[in-house]
């Protein structure tokens, strides 16, 4: 635990040297420390009704070399119930910059005979850089064009032919971009919490979410966005409150979500998404 706490402290110092809002860093360090100190009250599997009983669920882990990175993957298959007629499903995690572990409960699909494959995108968790920051050592991770190619590299390395693709949040953006290349093996596309048009997304956030807040808070959020004061203590507290209210409504957060906040890459997240879930960057607007 002392080692993990020291790692959090070191990561905090490194991130402060980058153009990452301190409020986002503090939020994630706080969630990481809370997990370390008290542990989570429940896991993500606790929240999902079991679809079927697993027999011998086999887990295979490994790495895919791609553009100087090592992309970490995890495969789940039920040895006893494996059904060759069911196509594998590949999971694309959100964030961007959040580890794929938060999608781990979807391994239940393997209990019904289907191979389930997830991987951490470049620069994230087990696929993290060996040293330094993204903008200096792997700037291509901040470009949309990289991610469909990364997915293709994983599929090729694992010998995946025909398959289904599930993209969540940011992963839905990558999934759509990949689908637009008309890949031969893609049979089904599942988009969860999808984003297709940044400006429409922002407008709808204001209509369906911000409009439910007290007028005083709406005014404060507009003032912060206009002044871009994303490092203020007020924005930090608002971000934590709104994250619990809208992003992850099950509170306290289950273990796999707390893990994601404690192990995500804020440099990638802020550069592509923006300073929070509620202030979208020009990158996604276009």
């Amino acid at each position: 635990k002392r080692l993990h706490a020291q790692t959090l402290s070191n990561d905090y110092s490194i991130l402060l040297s980058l153009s990452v809002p301190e409020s986002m860093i503090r939020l994630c360090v706080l969630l990481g420390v809370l997990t370390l100190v008290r542990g989570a009250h429940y896991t993500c599997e606790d929240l999902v009704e079991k679809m079927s009983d697993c027999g011998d669920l086999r887990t295979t882990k490994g790495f895919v070399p791609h553009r100087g990175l090592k992309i970490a993957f995890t495969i789940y298959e039920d040895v006893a119930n494996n059904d060759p007629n069911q196509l594998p499903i590949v999971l694309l995690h959100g964030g961007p910059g959040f580890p794929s572990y938060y999608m781990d409960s979807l391994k239940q699909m393997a209990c019904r005979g289907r191979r389930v494959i997830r991987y951490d995108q470049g620069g994230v968790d087990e696929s993290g850089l060996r040293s330094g920051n993204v903008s200096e050592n792997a700037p291509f991770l901040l470009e949309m064009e990289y991610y469909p190619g990364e997915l293709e590299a994983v599929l090729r390395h694992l010998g995946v032919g025909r398959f289904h693709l599930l993209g969540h949040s940011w992963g839905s953006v990558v999934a759509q971009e990949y689908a637009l290349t008309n890949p031969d093996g893609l049979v089904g596309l599942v988009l969860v919490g999808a984003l297709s048009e940044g400006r429409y997304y922002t407008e709808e956030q204001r209509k369906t979410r911000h409009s439910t807040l007290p007028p005083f808070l709406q005014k404060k959020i507009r003032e912060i966005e206009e002044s871009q004061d994303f490092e203020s203590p007020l924005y930090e507290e608002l971000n934590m409150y709104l994250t619990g209210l809208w992003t992850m409504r099950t509170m306290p957060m289950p273990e796999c979500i707390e893990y994601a906040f404690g192990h995500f890459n804020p440099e990638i997240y802020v550069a592509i998404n923006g300073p929070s879930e509620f202030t979208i960057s020009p990158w996604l607007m276009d």
Side-chain angles (χ1 to χ4, degrees):
K1 290 184 177 179
R2 285 194 298 271
L3 176 61
H4 186 71
Q6 183 62 45
T7 301
L8 286 171
S9 176
N10 291 342
D11 288 347
Y12 187 89
S13 299
I14 292 170
L15 291 169
L16 284 176
S17 67
L18 306 173
S19 55
V20 176
E22 188 172 353
S23 60
M24 173 57 73
I25 301 171
R26 284 199 297 266
L27 170 61
C28 296
V29 170
L30 173 61
L31 289 170
V33 169
L34 286 175
T35 305
L36 175 68
V37 172
R38 59 159 174 76
H41 289 281
Y42 32 73
T43 69
C44 284
E45 288 189 43
D46 293 333
L47 309 181
V48 182
E49 183 178 350
K50 288 187 177 181
M51 295 186 290
S52 60
D53 291 328
C54 275
D56 181 12
L57 189 62
R58 179 170 61 193
T59 303
T60 304
K61 290 180 174 287
F63 294 91
V64 178
H66 182 61
R67 296 190 64 173
L69 304 176
K70 296 175 70 175
I71 306 302
F73 66 83
T74 302
I75 302 174
Y76 295 107
E77 7 182 18
D78 189 325
V79 177
N81 299 319
N82 185 48
D83 183 355
N85 294 317
Q86 291 198 53
L87 299 179
I89 186 164
V90 180
L91 311 179
L92 290 174
H93 65 75
F98 280 70
S100 64
Y101 177 63
Y102 79 85
M103 305 181 80
D104 201 57
S105 60
L106 291 175
K107 67 186 178 186
Q108 289 191 51
M109 288 187 286
C111 304
R112 303 173 69 181
R114 187 187 305 278
R115 268 202 310 163
V116 177
I117 302 167
R118 66 173 173 86
Y119 68 93
D120 290 332
Q121 295 161 19
V124 179
D125 200 21
E126 295 183 359
S127 301
L129 304 184
R130 294 181 181 178
S131 62
N133 59 59
V134 170
S135 58
E136 293 180 357
N137 295 289
F140 51 83
L141 293 177
L142 307 180
E143 301 171 359
M144 183 69 245
E145 292 75 14
Y146 166 79
Y147 291 93
E150 178 188 68
L151 170 58
E152 184 62 35
V154 171
L155 296 171
R156 188 167 54 249
H157 181 87
L158 298 178
V160 177
R162 299 172 70 239
F163 67 100
H164 300 288
L165 183 62
L166 185 153
H168 170 248
S169 189
W170 154 253
S172 76
V173 178
V174 178
Q176 291 170 82
E177 290 290 333
Y178 179 75
L180 289 172
T181 66
N182 295 315
D184 293 333
L186 181 60
V187 174
L189 183 65
V190 183
L191 305 177
V192 183
L195 171 65
S196 296
E197 211 285 323
R199 296 187 188 281
Y200 178 77
Y201 173 82
T202 301
E203 291 171 3
E204 286 303 302
Q205 285 244 80
R206 299 197 183 285
K207 289 180 184 178
T208 62
R209 291 182 169 181
H210 287 205
S211 62
T212 65
L213 296 173
F216 177 78
L217 279 186
Q218 294 183 48
K219 179 174 179 289
K220 283 298 177 183
I221 291 173
R222 283 196 301 271
E223 290 174 353
I224 291 172
E225 290 178 341
E226 290 170 0
S227 64
Q228 297 191 349
D229 188 15
F230 300 121
E231 296 185 10
S232 69
L234 174 59
Y235 185 74
E236 177 185 352
E237 292 191 36
L238 284 171
N239 190 20
M240 292 182 69
Y241 168 70
L242 297 177
T243 295
L245 186 64
W246 290 327
T247 303
M248 182 62 211
R249 293 181 294 170
T250 301
M251 298 299 287
M253 291 184 181
E255 172 264 341
C256 65
I257 303 299
E258 288 190 340
Y259 179 91
F261 273 103
H263 294 79
F264 91 127
N265 187 317
E267 186 182 6
I268 294 176
Y269 177 87
V270 173
I272 296 177
N273 182 85
S276 77
E277 290 292 285
F278 317 106
T279 305
I280 300 302
S281 72
W283 199 100
L284 282 180
M285 286 291 195
D286 298 330

